[in-house]
Amino acid sequence: MPVGERTHRLFLLFLLSDIIVSGFYSYGCFMKIYWRYESIKYQITMNQSGLDYFLMAFAMIFDIEPMAFSAFVVLAVIAVVLLIFLGQQCFYISHNILQIESEKYEYLIQFRKEKGIEKPVVNYYDKGFIQNWKSVLFPPKVPLHQPMQYKKKDE
């Protein structure tokens, strides 16, 4: 079986598990930072403007918990970026296209618009939302066959 064939569902599972793990740990870091803020908020003078109060609290928390704060920022960014990527993959599955095909369709639409061709660009692989997802989540079985034997040109 070629690399990447019939493995899209495992890739989606990998993305989803990464989002869950990074989100869980970023939430844990946030709760630690919030707990630390609750313990030091009475040490910050209240007669400051809102921005000064925020910056003072930020500096104190970052001074006390630099690793938790840095981990929170990094993990939150990772979770958001992977969530966007998962959304893109779900869109592609729903329309049964690959990323390179979406670029091809955009080019064809633009080309036909410039040439004045009214015929719409059709994706013949799009079987509908439910059928597309069924083909990704439950791919058809490949019949067993003998492996291919390739001969060198010298033989």
Side-chain angles (χ1 to χ4, degrees), residues 81-131:
V81 168
L82 288 178
L83 191 62
I84 292 169
F85 188 56
L86 181 66
Q88 180 189 34
Q89 292 300 312
C90 290
F91 174 79
Y92 287 156
I93 290 170
S94 299
H95 292 81
N96 206 8
I97 58 175
L98 301 173
Q99 185 167 0
I100 196 159
E101 289 175 340
S102 70
E103 294 168 3
K104 176 182 75 172
Y105 289 134
E106 289 173 8
Y107 170 76
L108 284 174
I109 289 169
Q110 184 65 27
F111 178 76
R112 288 183 179 184
K113 189 183 290 185
E114 289 174 0
K115 296 292 182 181
I117 302 172
E118 298 289 324
K119 185 178 176 186
V121 178
V122 178
N123 179 5
Y124 294 104
Y125 300 107
D126 189 2
K127 306 279 190 263
F129 182 83
I130 294 173
Q131 284 301 114

Side-chain angles (χ1 to χ4, degrees), residues 139-151:
K141 300 249 184 228
V142 176
L144 293 176
H145 58 280
Q146 293 294 324
M148 296 289 293
Q149 297 293 326
Y150 296 101
K151 295 181 180 182

